[in-house]
Amino acid sequence: MELTPIQKDILIALINLQREKDRAVKGEEIAELISRNPGTVRNQMQSLKVLGLVEGVPGPKGGYKATGEAYEALSITAMDHEASVPIYRNDQLVDGATVAEISFTTVRHPDLCHGMLKVLGNIKGFEQGDLVQAGPTPVNKLVVRGEIVGRDDTQNTLVFSINEMISLPKKPVKNYARTNMISISENASIQETARILVDNGIHGAPVMDGEVILGVVTFTDIGDAVASGKMTAKVKEIMTRDLITIDADTSLYDAVKMFDTHNIGFLLVSYDGVPKGVLSKKDVFHELVY
């Protein structure tokens, strides 16, 4: 079905307003959004009704609603329960808009990587040179960032030069945690602790009393102790006692958020409520690189 540019504009505006307001949309609202005469919109609506793309809703709260065929005509997938994929313009969230599709158009080019975003929502504020971010997406937490190089209002799409793409695996924390933990005895000296951390190439480790984790010690704790003149202190005196744990079945994405929220380098991983493993930022970076 080949639609005219004005018909595409009206359908896209109708779908966007319908999503935003969750009700039937009046012709005057569509006309205002696309800067057209209300009479022109009403005339076009008659043609769109005949094509089965729009249905009228009678009554004082009535107006127009897009049919499933309208989504197909615009190559948009209609969903009963859709997740919102946010879109940002120059670091500002675009209200009422969600990314419907992300496609990569020049992956074979040796110097350029361009992509296209099909958006449900108003994109008329985007201009060439604007910075755009799409995501995170609901499943793989994909975030794509770039610079706008073009805008197609007839398809409600943005063309952009891709600067950065980030995605985290779907698997839970237990797939990346280390259960063969390097641990420190509670009575170890600062010097012993530093040597264990250096020899194993780690930033910190749990402090153990037998099988019980008492706390966590890091190079930051050691540095603070040295700066305070506590050269002869035992590790149990300088360790951090507030244990920040994460369940083994939690997503890697949520673990990364915890690193950021608590400004820490690693987490204790609990299996059935018992801390038995460690996840460090280094483990996450290794997963992203390899």
Side-chain angles (χ1 to χ4, degrees):
M1 179 184 308
E2 189 65 31
L3 298 175
T4 65
I6 179 63
Q7 288 175 328
K8 287 181 180 179
D9 276 353
I10 290 173
L11 277 184
I12 289 169
L14 173 59
I15 289 172
N16 291 341
L17 289 168
Q18 193 174 308
R19 287 184 63 259
E20 180 182 342
K21 300 178 182 298
D22 195 26
R23 60 166 171 78
V25 179
K26 297 189 179 301
E28 291 78 6
E29 295 175 296
I30 298 172
E32 181 179 354
L33 183 60
I34 64 174
S35 301
R36 293 278 188 163
N37 185 287
T40 301
V41 172
R42 282 194 293 271
N43 290 336
Q44 290 295 331
M45 281 300 185
Q46 299 307 313
S47 300
L48 293 172
K49 282 184 182 179
V50 172
L51 293 172
L53 305 179
V54 169
E55 59 184 20
V57 179
K61 293 185 178 181
Y64 302 100
K65 281 192 173 183
T67 66
E69 286 78 6
Y71 285 84
E72 291 181 13
L74 295 173
S75 300
I76 298 173
T77 303
M79 299 182 187
D80 292 332
H81 304 287
E82 65 175 27
S84 178
V85 178
I87 182 169
Y88 297 82
R89 173 181 172 268
N90 296 328
D91 296 325
Q92 297 294 315
L93 179 67
V94 180
D95 291 328
T98 186
V99 178
E101 295 177 16
I102 303 174
S103 55
F104 306 104
T105 56
T106 57
V107 292
R108 296 175 60 217
H109 196 287
D111 302 312
L112 299 174
C113 186
H114 283 180
M116 186 178 296
L117 302 174
K118 182 180 282 289
V119 181
L120 296 179
N122 187 359
I123 63 169
K124 295 187 184 297
F126 283 91
E127 301 291 345
Q128 186 172 346
D130 284 345
L131 299 179
V132 62
Q133 173 182 315
T137 57
V139 178
N140 292 99
K141 306 302 180 184
L142 172 67
V143 174
V144 184
R145 299 187 181 102
E147 184 176 321
I148 296 296
V149 296
R151 190 185 83 209
D152 183 350
D153 291 339
T154 65
Q155 299 293 331
N156 224 53
T157 58
L158 298 168
V159 180
F160 67 113
S161 175
I162 300 171
N163 298 331
E164 184 179 9
M165 287 191 290
I166 303 169
S167 181
L168 289 173
K170 281 175 60 177
K171 295 177 182 177
V173 164
K174 63 186 177 185
N175 289 85
Y176 311 103
R178 288 177 285 114
T179 53
N180 55 336
M181 293 186 294
I182 304 297
S183 62
I184 311 291
S185 169
E186 60 175 326
N187 292 312
S189 67
I190 290 177
Q191 291 81 1
E192 289 176 293
T193 302
R195 186 170 61 251
I196 292 171
L197 297 183
V198 170
D199 288 347
N200 289 279
I202 54 179
H203 177 74
V207 179
M208 308 285 289
D209 178 12
E211 297 295 320
V212 179
I213 298 176
L214 301 177
V216 170
V217 64
T218 66
F219 276 124
T220 302
D221 298 319
I222 294 173
D224 289 343
V226 171
S228 302
K230 300 177 182 178
M231 296 300 295
T232 59
K234 300 296 184 183
V235 73
K236 62 185 177 183
E237 299 171 44
I238 68 167
M239 69 182 182
T240 300
R241 294 182 178 274
D242 294 331
L243 301 179
I244 299 176
T245 63
I246 187 169
D247 188 82
D249 289 316
T250 304
S251 71
L252 198 61
Y253 177 77
D254 288 330
V256 170
K257 288 199 296 184
M258 288 184 69
F259 284 134
D260 183 59
T261 300
H262 298 286
N263 192 26
I264 53 179
F266 67 96
L267 295 162
L268 295 177
V269 180
S270 293
Y271 295 77
D272 297 324
V274 180
K276 293 182 180 179
V278 169
L279 179 74
S280 69
K281 282 185 178 179
K282 183 178 178 181
D283 298 326
V284 176
F285 292 150
H286 182 275
E287 178 61 29
L288 292 179
V289 172
Y290 297 100

